[in-house]
């Protein structure tokens, strides 16, 4: 397959500006400037290089019924390795360097070499395992006094975002998912964290009026979406808010897609009357974000998301890609929660956090500051 490496577009993006940005004209999605920081650039080139063999292996496995899968996967690996080497020689080899740019090119190469969704089997396995624990996680949340539910919902999010649950096998799935999610909950470091606005968030949530409408960007499949974000949606719906859940339009690594999330919400509705009712009466909406990479450029979301975000007064950005590597410095017109578990040392250094520490940033709407 002939590869024209100079022609990487922006295949993974929508065409509308996210309407909750304070200043779209000066919006810069990337948190980390890899153009002026040569050392940071080298660090990220190495991170992408170190993840590549695993991606090649998964890509080949995901189509192991096709005779050419292994050779296409190898060619994909070589093509992306070449791009990274070219960036090492020329910092602007394929456009200004950024984590967002590297992710976009990787995704475009996956598409070109015919790998639509290498993580599909893993995502399905993790979704199934997490779904079995959901009833218990919702019961625990509902049993708490109302003033403790936000902190508990956020702990679930951090635990879910920490751990890719992994699937030991179908029989042990429930047990392994259960054990790993609980272990992740127990392993959360004690507060205060380096970036810790939980008290300010809790104060806002306990002060009337409650939020009317929340837009929530969801990150990974499995425990992250099912045990972190669905219970958060449940909690906000119970408080009377409308909720817009937005996930990637197209697959990117182990991120949950819009289509997968739709099925998860349907399944969750079977055991949770709150999600069931809200899906029925339109207070819970699911919209594709327009995005197809693990980070997000909010100047290029789907028109559908831009329309659904109108009238929102709460924004939740979840996960390292959407809340830290991009958008950490972005300012929004509404109360904003930026939530993630830090899993890369360079990200930790950039935002002043520690590795494997939750980041809980709460930024009140500018009018309320
Ligand atoms: Mg992700």
């Amino acid at each position: 397959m002939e590869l024209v490496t100079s022609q990487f577009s922006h295949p993974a993006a929508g065409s509308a500006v996210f309407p909750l940005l304070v200043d779209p004209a000066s919006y810069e999605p990337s948190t980390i400037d890899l153009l002026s920081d040569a050392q940071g650039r080298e660090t990220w080139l190495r991170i992408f290089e170190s993840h590549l063999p695993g991606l090649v292996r998964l890509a080949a496995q995901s189509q192991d019924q096709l005779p050419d899968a292994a050779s296409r996967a190898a060619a994909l690996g070589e093509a992306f390795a070449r791009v990274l080497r070219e960036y090492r020689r020329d910092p602007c080899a394929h456009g200004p360097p950024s984590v967002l740019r590297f992710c976009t090119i990787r995704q475009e190469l996956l598409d070109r070499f015919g790998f639509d969704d290498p993580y599909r089997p893993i995502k399905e396995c993790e979704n199934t395992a997490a779904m079995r624990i959901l009833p218990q996680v919702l019961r625990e949340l509902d049993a708490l006094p109302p003033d403790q539910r936000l902190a508990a919902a956020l702990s679930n999010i951090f635990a879910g975002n920490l751990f890719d649950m992994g699937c030991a096998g179908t029989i042990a799935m429930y047990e392994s998912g259960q054990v790993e999610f609980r272990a992740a909950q127990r392993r959360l470091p004690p507060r205060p964290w380096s970036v810790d606005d939980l008290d300010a968030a809790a104060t806002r949530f306990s002060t009337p009026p409650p939020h009317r409408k929340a837009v929530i960007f969801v990150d990974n499949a499995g425990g992250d979406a099912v045990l972190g974000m669905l219970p958060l949606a449940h909690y906000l719906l119970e408080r009377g808010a409308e909720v817009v859940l937005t996930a990637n339009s197209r697959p990117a690594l182990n991120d949950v897609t819009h289509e997968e999330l739709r099925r998860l919400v349907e399944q969750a509705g079977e055991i949770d009357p709150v999600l069931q009712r809200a899906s029925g009466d339109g207070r819970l909406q699911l919209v594709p974000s327009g995005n197809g990479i693990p980070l997000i450029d909010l100047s290029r979301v789907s028109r559908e998301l831009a329309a659904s975000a109108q009238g929102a007064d709460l924004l939740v950005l979840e996960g390292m890609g959407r809340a830290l590597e991009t958008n950490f410095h972005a300012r929004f017109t509404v109360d904003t929660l930026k939530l993630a578990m830090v899993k890369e040392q360079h990200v930790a250094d950039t935002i002043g956090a520690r590795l494997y520490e939750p980041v809980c940033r709460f930024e009140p709407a500018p009018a309320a500051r």
Side-chain angles (χ1 to χ4, degrees), residues 219-220 254-255:
D219 182 6
N220 302 321
N254 64 331
D255 285 2

Side-chain angles (χ1 to χ4, degrees), residues 267-287:
Q267 284 175 45
E270 289 166 18
I271 57 111
D272 181 21
V274 174
L275 291 174
Q276 173 88 290
R277 257 197 317 276
S279 299
D281 66 18
R283 285 203 306 121
L284 176 59
Q285 284 181 59
L286 273 77
V287 296

Side-chain angles (χ1 to χ4, degrees), residues 153-165:
L154 298 192
S155 301
N156 290 339
I157 289 169
F158 297 133
N161 196 237
L162 172 70
F163 229 74
D164 289 321
M165 292 172 69

